[in-house]
Each structure stands twice: as C-alpha cells, then as structure tokens.
C-alpha cells in the first residue's frame, strides 16, 4: 500500500493547481561572477607595458591574463536556447470505458515541448493523449498555432508534432541532442510548470541511470533520475547539459512522503530510437522486448543443478509467450547466457559503462521491431545458439488502446466489452492495482495470450430489463464460453450470438456461473433497452464490420 507513486507531469486545467512556494528561476544570461578575497592590485602608471606575446597577440598584464574567458573550456555553463521551448495546449476527449458508446466531457491541459530539426516538435505522449485539438505557443508570443500530431509513442511516452504555419518556425533554432550524461553531471530543465505562465528553469544533477518504469507506457526503458524539480506542466520540456545540448525530456516525478525532488527524464538514446523509428517506418512501431519471463540465477546450488560451469553466468527462462517469435526456439528452463554477444550476469545485468551495470533489457530496447538478435542458451548442459526475431509488446490486457475507442456488444441488456488497463482505471480508479478483483489483476500481471487475436471478454454490467431479472448483480465477470463454444474475443462472441439458431442463449461465466435468455426475445428486448438508455447501436463499429 505504501509503494511510492510516480506521476506524470501534464498540467490539467480541469481543477485548480495548488500554489507553489518559491520557484528558483534563472534568467536568459549566465549569472555574473563576483571575485572574492583581496581587491586586485592595479598596476601603477609607470609599470604599464607590454608583456610576452601569446598566440600572436600583445598580452595584457599577468594579473589580467588569469581571468578566463567565458566558454566551455573554462567550465562555465552555456545558457540553452530557450526560444526553442514551446508551451503545448491540448483539448482532450477521453473515451468512457465504463459506458463505451459515449465519451467523457472534454477538458484542457498545458504542458511543454521543444523544437527539433525538420520542423518538428517533441513533447510527452501523455500530454496529447486522446487529443481533439493541439496548439503551440512560442516563448514571448501571444499567438497559438494549430499543431498536427505525427506520431505518439505510448511505451516511451514521446509524441511528435508539427505546425503547418510557416510563421511559427521564424526565428526558432532547433535544439541539438547531446550524449548520455554521467552521474553528477549538471542538468537544466526548462518548461512551463504550474505556478506561473512564463518559462521556468530549474537545475540539478543526474543522480541515477537505470532501467526505469515508465508510468504512461507500462514498460521499462532507460531513464535518468535527477534532483531538479519536475512539476505538473513540465512534461515534454527539454533537459539541457552544460554545453546547451538536450540530454532528455522531463516526463514524471516521484511523489512520496520520504522522497524530495526526485524527477525523471527520458534520455537521448530513447529519444533517438523514437525519431529513427518514425524516420524508417513513417510511423511509430514501438520498442521490442524479449517476450519471456526470467529468473535470477544467483543461487549456486540452482546453477549447479542446471548444469552450469563455474565460469558460466546467465538467467533462467521461466515462461515464453506462445505468440512470440522466440517461442519456436526457446524452452522453459533454458539458461540465457548472452544477447548479441554481450554476456548476461546471474542477476540479469550487463556491463554498461565504467563502474556501471544495467538490466539486459537495455540491449533489447536498442533494437527495432522486426530486427533479429543472436542469443546463446544453455540447455541440458549444452550451449545452443539461435537468431530470434524481436517483436513489440503484446499483452492479454493491453496497457493502452492507442486512441482506438473501446469495443462493446449489447444483447438483452448484457454489456460485453474487453478488459484493458484504461478500463480497469475507469472502473476502479487510479488505485485499480488494489481495488480490482483478484482474478482480473492476476490475468493483468501474469496471463499470456494463447493466440494473436485473444481478448479478455467480460460482462461489464447489466442494463436492467424484464428479460434479465435475477442477473442484475453481475459485473466485470469474464465470459468463458457461449453455447458450449470457447469465446476467444469479443467479435467472435458477437458473431456467434447474432447467427445463433438455438432456442436459448447460454453464456458460461467464471466461477461456474451461467446466464441463459431466450433467443427469440433477446433481440426485441435489446431494441427497447437501447432506446431507453439512448444508446446509438448495439455494437461498436469495429465489431459490426
């Protein structure tokens, strides 16, 4: 219950934001440097003269030569080009997953973004989630420009926008990307957080680099932890290094009683992967994963029982996704020794940089969907080599609907739909991990699809009518079979019901429950129920086609 919560940084205008006490803001120019200690001794008029020539120029007095010029070599921080940072205004209209035939009331939010090459703007995916209109405003401008969303990366929480109006691009220089920073490197986060309408700058250092849980994407990718404040509205804003190069995108922070000033930044390797993915495919295709569950091999007795030699290290594969390409070559209890020639340790980490290790999922995330990878596994004390094709995330309960309206089917007042994370959040609130039924949570965390088109179909609610008396309390219960036939997905269920010639419609639910209605009365009752509840159709468009 007391687990720390990471929260995204989109600022919603739906509710008033609490006032923020003192925000540290830096100006457009570096702060002046004040010399400490004794006042400098000024040369006497008769002492003035020309010293030795340096670099072909007449030198100044020795005391004055010690004054370094402002620049990178002297260790001074370069002020980033904040004119490239824009404010993002978005109007959202979210689907109503509990009443899938309608949408919720629209609301507005503001966040941050920045201009990159190619007349494009980057921001967070959650900043434009379920958008109906997106506008951008430049620093110091009073004009909002309509933007077009080019790509939305749900896993990496990055979105790419553009603006057709040429006026928007006048006088704006795109930011340049820098290398992945090291620990203790200084970073400056620029954006438009709550507490004011003008641009805000906060500074900090990189305090941790590791595979990080992305709240919006429900996945793990490389992330930076910084001690600069990241508040609502900072989402999508750039993080700059000392040289003025962008090294990441602010996207979430840790809200916990025992934590202060812990913010998270999407680093440049993830950003460049997103941009290159869009460049190669003309759309966002996602980050691949190794679709297999694995177990650490830190116990020496376990390693011995698996036939591992003292110098061999790796992780044990527990389950392989039946729909994954690697299911054809990998088997449970295989020991994964290496990925693309990089050896994997018993704790699942690989060498990263000097003095650093990182989860081997980082190696997988550097690939693109459809790429191949060379792996080594130990099976029955024998080393075997395979080339596997990598694919993206495919879950029985998807983390996102990716802008697609929820599917539904209604017959005799029974509302059938599919389970997704947004659906669970709609039904049980933001703490759905604790509030949702145990069976649904177990499937959410552990269930694997047995086929590409498998869905988890449930009776979400019963619209009360005479035909369904006694079934009113059924809610969010999984449908297992219809008239004795296994239900694989919602469209299959709708087709079976619509074409049924039997006298009764019998639905087998979990916990050995059954629901039975007469076939001849079901369709007539459905028409009356739709009229009573002002529902436009008995099924969603994707089911009827």
């Amino acid at each position: 219950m007391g687990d720390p919560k990471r929260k995204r940084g989109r600022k919603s205008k739906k509710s008033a934001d609490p006032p923020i006490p003192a925000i540290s803001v830096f100006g457009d120019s570096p702060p002046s440097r004040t010399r400490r200690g004794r006042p400098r001794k000024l040369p006497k008029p008769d002492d003035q003269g020309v010293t030795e020539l340096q670099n072909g120029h007449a030198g100044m007095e020795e005391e004055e030569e010690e004054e370094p010029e402002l620049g990178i070599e002297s260790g001074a921080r370069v002020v980033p080009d904040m004119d490239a940072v824009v404010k993002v205004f978005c109007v959202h209209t979210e689907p109503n997953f509990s009443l899938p035939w309608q949408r919720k009331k629209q609301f507005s939010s503001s966040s941050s973004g920045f201009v990159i090459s190619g007349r494009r703007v980057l921001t967070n995916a959650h900043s434009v989630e379920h958008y109906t209109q997106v506008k951008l405003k430049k620093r110091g401008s009073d004009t909002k420009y309509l933007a077009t969303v080019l790509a939305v990366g749900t896993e990496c929480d990055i979105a790419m926008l553009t603006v057709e109006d040429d006026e928007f691009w006048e006088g704006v220089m795109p930011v340049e990307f820098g290398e992945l920073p090291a620990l203790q490197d200084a970073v400056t986060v620029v954006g438009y957080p709550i507490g004011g309408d003008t641009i805000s700058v906060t500074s900090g250092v990189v305090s941790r680099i590791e595979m990080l849980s992305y709240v919006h994407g429900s996945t793990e990718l490389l992330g930076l932890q910084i001690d600069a404040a990241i508040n609502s509205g900072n989402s999508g804003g750039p993080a700059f290094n000392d040289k003025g190069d962008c090294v990441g995108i602010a996207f979430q922070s840790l809200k916990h009683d025992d934590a202060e000033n812990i913010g998270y930044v999407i680093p440049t390797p993830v950003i460049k992967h997103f941009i290159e993915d869009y460049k190669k495919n003309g759309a966002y295709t996602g980050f691949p994963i190794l679709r297999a569950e694995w177990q650490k091999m830190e116990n020496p007795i376990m390693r011995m029982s698996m036939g591992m030699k003292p110098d061999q290290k790796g992780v044990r594969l527990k389950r392989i996704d039946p729909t994954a390409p690697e299911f054809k070559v990998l088997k449970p209890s295989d020991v994964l020794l290496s990925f693309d020639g990089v050896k994997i340790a018993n704790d699942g980490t690989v060498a990263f940089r000097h003095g650093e290790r990182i989860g081997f999922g980082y190696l997988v995330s550097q690939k693109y969907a459809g790429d191949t990878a060379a792996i080594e596994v130990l099976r029955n004390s024998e080393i075997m080599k395979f080339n596997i094709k990598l694919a993206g995330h495919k879950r029985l309960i998807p983390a996102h609907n990716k802008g697609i309206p929820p599917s539904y089917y209604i017959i005799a007042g029974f509302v059938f739909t599919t389970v997704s994370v947004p659906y669970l959040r709609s039904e049980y609130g933001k703490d759905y991990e604790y509030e949702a039924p145990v069976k649904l949570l177990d499937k959410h965390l552990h269930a694997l699809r047995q086929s590409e088109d498998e869905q988890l179909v449930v009776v979400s609610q019963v619209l009360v009518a005479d035909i369904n008396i006694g079934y009113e309390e059924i809610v969010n219960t999984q449908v297992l079979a219809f008239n004795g036939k296994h239900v694989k997905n919602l469209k299959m269920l709708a087709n079976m019901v619509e074409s049924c010639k039997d006298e009764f419609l019998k639905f087998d639910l979990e916990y050995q429950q059954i629901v039975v209605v007469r076939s001849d009365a079901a369709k007539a009752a459905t028409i009356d129920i739709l009229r009573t509840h002002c529902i436009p159709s008995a099924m969603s468009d994707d089911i009827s086609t």
Side-chain angles (χ1 to χ4, degrees):
M1 289 285 192
D3 293 342
K5 296 287 184 181
R6 292 191 178 99
K7 296 188 178 181
R8 302 175 293 182
R10 180 181 71 195
K11 178 175 69 175
S12 173
K13 294 183 179 178
K14 191 173 182 179
S15 58
D17 294 304
I20 300 297
I23 295 181
S24 176
V25 180
F26 297 88
D28 291 355
S29 57
S32 59
R33 297 185 297 173
T34 304
R35 184 184 178 91
R36 297 183 178 180
R38 295 182 303 174
R40 181 182 300 165
K41 180 180 178 182
L42 298 176
K44 299 179 181 179
D46 57 347
D47 290 335
Q48 291 180 0
V50 178
T51 60
E52 295 182 12
L53 293 178
Q54 302 202 7
N55 299 327
H57 298 282
M60 300 176 67
E61 288 297 322
E62 183 177 352
E63 184 74 16
E64 295 182 0
E65 285 181 2
E66 294 178 358
E67 183 72 7
E69 297 179 359
L70 288 178
I72 298 172
E73 291 78 13
S74 66
R77 300 183 69 175
V78 176
V79 177
D81 184 7
M82 287 184 279
D83 287 342
V85 183
V86 300
K87 193 169 185 177
V88 181
F89 299 87
C90 184
V91 177
H92 310 260
T93 309
E94 297 182 349
N96 190 334
F97 289 91
S98 297
L99 302 174
W101 51 86
Q102 63 185 32
R103 286 180 174 266
K104 295 181 181 179
K105 181 181 179 181
Q106 69 179 23
F107 67 96
S108 301
S109 72
S110 68
S111 54
S112 308
F114 60 97
V115 176
I116 63 172
S117 61
R119 292 166 62 101
R120 296 170 296 179
V121 173
L122 291 185
T123 186
N124 282 145
H126 73 259
S127 297
V128 296
E129 186 179 28
H130 303 305
Y131 69 92
T132 52
Q133 186 184 74
V134 181
K135 293 181 180 179
L136 305 179
K137 187 172 76 170
K138 297 190 294 183
R139 181 189 181 200
S141 173
D142 60 351
T143 305
K144 297 178 183 178
Y145 299 86
L146 281 173
T148 301
V149 178
L150 298 177
V152 177
T154 51
E155 289 90 356
C156 60
D157 200 2
I158 304 176
M160 183 185 294
L161 319 174
T162 190
V163 174
E164 297 296 332
D165 195 333
D166 294 334
E167 184 182 61
F168 175 82
W169 305 103
E170 293 177 1
V172 179
M173 293 295 294
V175 303
E176 299 292 335
F177 290 106
E179 297 298 322
L180 183 70
L183 291 176
Q184 295 186 324
D185 279 1
V187 290
T188 301
V189 178
V190 184
Y192 293 88
I194 57 175
D197 294 324
T198 58
I199 202 166
S200 172
V201 181
T202 55
S203 296
V205 298
V206 176
S207 54
R208 183 176 291 164
I209 303 173
E210 63 180 354
M211 295 297 286
L212 183 68
S213 175
Y214 282 43
V215 174
H216 181 73
S218 297
T219 186
E220 286 195 355
L221 294 170
L222 185 66
L224 303 180
Q225 178 182 309
I226 63 175
D227 63 358
I230 295 179
N231 297 305
S232 295
N234 263 128
S235 280
F240 295 100
N241 61 14
D242 280 348
K243 299 179 182 178
D245 295 330
C246 176
V247 294
I249 303 175
F251 76 119
Q252 64 188 35
S253 59
L254 182 63
K255 304 296 183 184
H256 191 263
D257 293 340
D258 298 329
E260 293 182 3
N261 285 349
I262 295 182
Y264 297 99
V265 171
I266 304 170
T268 45
V270 178
I271 300 171
K272 291 179 179 179
H273 188 288
F274 170 81
I275 296 173
E276 186 64 23
D277 184 14
Y278 179 79
K279 181 180 177 181
K280 289 172 59 176
N281 303 293
Y284 173 76
T285 62
F287 287 72
I289 62 168
L290 187 66
R291 285 158 59 177
E293 296 179 358
W294 54 272
Q295 177 183 1
K296 294 180 180 180
M297 295 285 289
E298 295 176 310
N299 186 279
I301 305 302
M302 180 186 289
R303 293 198 299 272
M304 185 183 302
S305 69
M306 300 293 291
M308 297 178 66
K309 298 178 181 178
D311 61 339
Q312 288 180 326
K313 297 180 180 181
V315 294
R316 174 183 173 269
L317 300 181
K318 297 189 298 182
R319 295 194 302 167
I320 297 91
D321 187 340
T323 64
E326 49 264 43
F327 184 77
K328 299 177 181 178
V329 295
L330 298 179
K331 295 182 178 180
S333 289
D334 281 351
V335 179
L336 183 61
L337 303 176
S338 68
F339 183 91
D340 261 356
V342 181
K343 293 184 178 181
I344 301 173
N346 293 324
D347 62 353
T349 63
V350 294
F352 184 46
R353 296 189 298 193
H354 179 69
E356 296 179 80
R357 299 190 68 83
I358 198 168
F360 80 92
Y362 170 73
L363 301 177
V364 185
S365 69
Q366 295 301 293
K367 297 281 192 174
Y368 294 88
D371 287 355
T372 58
I375 62 171
E376 284 185 335
V377 298
L378 183 69
R379 183 184 299 168
N380 299 326
S381 300
E382 180 183 354
I383 296 179
M384 308 182 73
K385 298 181 179 181
F386 302 105
N387 288 320
I388 61 172
K389 188 176 181 180
L390 298 174
H393 297 247
K394 299 289 184 182
R395 298 185 176 102
L396 177 62
I397 298 181
H400 285 276
N401 288 66
K402 298 185 178 180
I404 302 173
S407 305
Y408 70 92
Y409 174 66
I410 302 174
I411 186 72
F414 296 93
V415 181
F416 299 95
T417 188
T418 59
V419 179
S420 63
V421 171
Y423 176 80
L424 294 175
R425 192 177 292 116
S426 175
E427 289 285 293
Y428 302 102
K430 62 181 181 179
D431 293 327
Y432 68 89
E433 298 99 330
Y434 310 110
E435 303 295 336
V438 173
K439 277 218 169 187
L440 288 182
L441 289 177
D442 179 66
K443 292 180 174 66
H444 167 50
L445 296 173
H446 303 294
L448 299 176
R449 298 192 311 170
Q450 300 303 309
S451 62
E452 286 288 343
D453 57 351
E454 184 179 3
Q455 295 175 318
L456 184 61
V457 181
V458 294
V459 179
S460 64
Q461 61 177 307
V462 180
L463 304 175
V464 177
D466 293 344
I467 194 173
N468 53 47
I469 290 176
Y471 301 133
E472 300 90 345
E473 296 181 359
I474 296 177
V475 59
N476 291 331
T477 305
Q478 185 181 0
V479 183
L480 302 177
F482 170 73
N483 283 3
K485 296 181 180 178
H486 173 68
V487 174
K488 185 185 297 186
N489 54 55
L490 184 58
K491 189 167 187 176
M492 175 184 178
L493 173 63
N495 289 337
M496 288 194 297
V497 174
E498 291 295 312
S499 60
C500 181
K501 304 298 183 182
D502 297 342
E503 182 180 0
F504 298 104
L505 305 179
K506 179 183 176 182
F507 301 91
D508 292 307
L509 310 181
E510 60 183 349
Y511 305 114
Q512 284 73 50
Q513 295 184 83
I514 62 170
V515 168
V516 182
V517 294
R518 293 186 64 89
S519 300
D520 53 0
K523 292 187 177 179
T526 300
I527 296 174
D528 292 337
I529 292 170
L530 295 180
R531 186 183 302 114
T532 301
H533 293 272
C534 300
I535 301 174
S537 175
M539 62 184 74
S540 54
D541 293 340
D542 60 322
I543 300 298
S544 59
T545 56

